[in-house]
Amino acid sequence: ESTLGAAAAQSGRYFGTAIASGRLSDSTYTSIANREFNMVTAENEMKIDATEPQRGQFNFSSADRVYNWAVQNGKEVRGHTLAWHSQQPGWMQSLSGNDLRQAMIGHINGVMAHYKGKIVQWDVVNEAFADGSSGARRDSNLQRSGNDWIELAFRTARAADPSAKLCYNDYNVEDWTWAKTQAMYSMVRDFKQRGVPIDCVGFQAHFNSGSPYNSNFRTTLQNFAALGVDVAVTELDIQGASPTTYANVTNDCLAVERCLGVTVWGVRDSDSWRAEHTPLLFNNDGSKKAAYSAVLNAL
Ligand code: XIL
């Protein structure tokens, strides 16, 4: 196959990218994105601050630009993200306790209703665990509202759109030996045991010198899949874009039957939130990097 999406489809998987609505007028960007990828995540446009800038007043203008571009070009869409400590609108940042929980429920219901039946996977909860060796939840207004806020989010999401796969998504959870990975594993195991509706786990896979790729990532993916959830690589970028590391991540997904696909977090290096790391598959002029060929050959 000659494109990432078509190559991934040979094994029933997808290859996706983050799309930024502000770049959709850049024809170099859109021609690469349209040619190579068959799954789209809105880089910022479906986040809480973008979709509910005032409490109870939803705005899907940017989100729909990304969604419509994707669907008009034959792609599927991952929804990102419904409950998160970051990129909350000001009104939500100042909430706490039961008022915040009601606001979270209202937000999930409002966004999922708008996209009901149209989103293949939703990142229901993003980044709820702390970094480091504690294995604890991350402190946030949501966490302070009660430890069960995550399952409340998932139960709300299931009722709002039963057709979407519901994912928990996080970073620094790729290395099986890390406390954060183990904490996420315990939560997913507990959710499956108690019937909390969770379908998938997203591994962001932002690899850099501080949190490098480790070959035990495949073990991590296998162990989560064995709990009875799908897994996905949701925001892949690699500092320096080592072709070997890109091939390894691709092969790790392919080795796990329940790995749905891989999404890279942007198209060209200049599109990346970490552009200085030159972490992506395309150069700024749109040409393919060595990492691109490494991924295509692995698929
Ligand atoms: C990043 C975007 O790429 C940036 O444009 C934005 O300024 C901050 O958020 N984990 C996530 C993503 O789940 O939503 C983040 O995206 C990167 C880290």
Side-chain angles (χ1 to χ4, degrees):
E1 290 296 337
S2 59
T3 70
L4 300 172
Q10 294 178 117
S11 68
R13 294 180 175 82
Y14 60 80
F15 208 98
T17 186
I19 290 287
S21 57
R23 298 183 195 275
L24 289 174
S25 54
D26 174 341
S27 61
T28 305
Y29 177 83
T30 53
S31 69
I32 299 169
N34 191 22
R35 184 185 75 219
E36 296 289 343
F37 301 101
N38 52 7
M39 180 68 78
V40 161
T41 307
E43 186 173 0
N44 290 295
E45 292 79 354
M46 292 191 191
K47 292 174 180 176
I48 314 171
D49 55 355
T51 51
E52 196 178 355
Q54 303 298 330
R55 189 170 187 176
Q57 293 179 18
F58 290 87
N59 183 337
F60 297 105
S61 54
S62 296
D64 283 348
R65 271 199 288 279
V66 176
Y67 177 85
N68 290 333
W69 180 86
V71 169
Q72 283 161 10
N73 289 293
K75 301 162 201 328
E76 295 186 307
V77 178
R78 298 190 78 259
H80 175 78
T81 180
L82 297 167
W84 192 21
H85 70 278
S86 184
Q87 292 180 266
Q88 290 182 359
W91 64 266
M92 185 179 277
Q93 291 176 34
S94 63
L95 294 186
S96 63
N98 190 52
D99 199 13
L100 175 61
R101 288 162 77 94
Q102 295 309 316
M104 179 187 80
I105 292 169
H107 182 75
I108 293 170
N109 283 332
V111 177
M112 290 188 85
H114 182 76
Y115 290 113
K116 191 170 183 181
K118 298 176 166 182
I119 298 281
V120 289
Q121 304 171 33
W122 263 113
D123 289 333
V124 176
V125 171
N126 198 31
E127 300 182 347
F129 287 95
D131 290 312
S133 58
S134 70
R137 295 283 184 84
R138 172 196 296 275
D139 180 54
S140 71
N141 58 348
L142 287 162
Q143 182 60 32
R144 288 189 293 273
S145 82
N147 202 53
D148 61 341
W149 71 276
I150 299 178
E151 60 191 87
L152 176 62
F154 277 90
R155 292 187 198 280
T156 303
R158 178 68 93 224
D161 185 356
S163 71
K165 288 192 185 199
L166 306 181
C167 305
Y168 176 83
N169 192 56
D170 215 328
Y171 68 94
N172 284 355
V173 289
E174 295 79 17
D175 188 320
W176 180 245
T177 68
W178 288 355
K180 191 173 175 181
T181 311
Q182 294 300 314
M184 182 173 79
Y185 181 81
S186 298
M187 181 189 74
V188 174
R189 187 178 53 194
D190 171 58
F191 279 13
K192 292 301 288 183
Q193 282 171 351
R194 292 192 295 113
V196 177
I198 182 169
D199 305 305
C200 38
V201 175
F203 298 82
Q204 292 184 11
H206 296 293
F207 294 117
N208 53 67
S209 47
S211 9
Y213 169 82
N214 185 295
S215 60
N216 68 30
F217 182 37
R218 187 177 301 193
T219 301
T220 303
L221 293 174
Q222 281 164 341
N223 287 344
F224 275 87
L227 292 176
V229 289
D230 294 330
V231 295
V233 178
T234 53
E235 303 182 15
L236 178 62
D237 51 23
I238 301 171
Q239 181 171 18
S242 155
T244 306
T245 307
Y246 261 108
N248 286 343
V249 174
T250 304
N251 283 318
D252 291 343
C253 180
L254 293 176
V256 177
E257 191 166 20
R258 294 198 74 154
C259 183
L260 300 170
V262 175
T263 296
V264 289
W265 205 239
V267 178
R268 302 158 298 189
D269 286 333
S270 50
D271 302 315
S272 170
W273 71 314
R274 289 178 169 166
E276 70 280 9
H277 287 183
T278 59
L280 294 175
L281 301 178
F282 293 88
N283 291 304
N284 299 350
D285 66 1
S287 59
K288 296 168 178 172
K289 295 169 63 177
Y292 171 92
S293 309
V295 170
L296 187 62
N297 289 336
L299 283 168

